[in-house]
Amino acid sequence: MTRRTAIATGTAALLARPALAQDATVHEVQMLNADPENPRTRMVFLPRVVVAQPGDTIKFIATDPGHNSESIEEMMPEGVEGWEGDINDDVEFVVETPGFYGYKCTPHNSVGMVGLVIVQGDGMSDNLEAAKDVRQRGKARQIWDEIWEEVDALDLA
Ligand SMILES: [Cu+2]
């Protein structure tokens, strides 16, 4: 039993917290050397676009070796510090703030191993233009163009 659970037991005011945690979703994103459905597409996060709610967890899984997940500083909602996973390690991040969260695999950014988490809620679009305006290079630029097209096609209202 965790300390928080122990404290919450029998304390009515704190019982809302475990209930919230129960509703939260864990979104798994695999770090892969190739897309299983399209093996010619190398170095991918799968799925590369995740739509989440505040309180959800994004779990990056080191399915294949040689990858990590690191948030892109200029592509975080205001006030969000982000995350930096080590190579070959799973990393989890709990999203609290609505907005657009761009991230990359540090060694494979230039070959387009990037992804996006969208957290719905008030103020969601506040950093959308700023995230889109970040200058991308190489294959990453092409992949971000595809991702933003995907975002435009989603009904996120
Ligand atoms: Cu990688």
Side-chain angles (χ1 to χ4, degrees), residues 21-153:
Q22 226 168 36
D23 292 342
T25 302
V26 178
H27 303 266
E28 295 190 342
V29 177
Q30 294 190 65
M31 305 188 260
L32 298 173
N33 290 343
D35 180 345
E37 288 185 0
N38 187 6
R40 290 177 63 192
T41 305
R42 307 283 299 164
M43 313 304 182
V44 290
F45 290 102
L46 200 72
R48 73 179 175 187
V49 176
V50 167
V51 179
Q53 305 301 320
D56 286 357
T57 298
I58 316 301
K59 182 175 184 180
F60 299 95
I61 301 173
T63 309
D64 288 334
H67 307 288
N68 75 336
S69 171
E70 179 185 1
S71 55
I72 299 170
E73 203 182 331
E74 314 80 43
M75 300 179 83
M76 289 291 108
E78 198 175 334
V80 175
E81 205 171 309
W83 64 92
E84 183 176 359
D86 290 329
I87 301 283
N88 297 330
D89 277 356
D90 293 357
V91 59
E92 290 186 15
F93 187 77
V94 178
V95 289
E96 303 283 4
T97 307
F100 289 78
Y101 296 64
Y103 64 90
K104 63 186 177 184
C105 169
T106 314
H108 297 128
N109 182 47
S110 62
V111 294
M113 187 166 173
V114 296
L116 180 72
V117 176
I118 304 162
V119 180
Q120 293 186 288
D122 286 348
M124 175 183 82
S125 297
D126 287 359
N127 80 320
L128 175 58
E129 289 313 312
K132 281 184 172 179
D133 284 349
V134 173
R135 187 166 170 196
Q136 307 289 350
R137 291 179 180 80
K139 183 95 185 287
R141 187 194 304 201
Q142 178 201 324
I143 300 298
W144 278 114
D145 285 347
E146 291 177 18
I147 288 174
W148 297 126
E149 266 181 42
E150 217 176 306
V151 168
D152 288 343

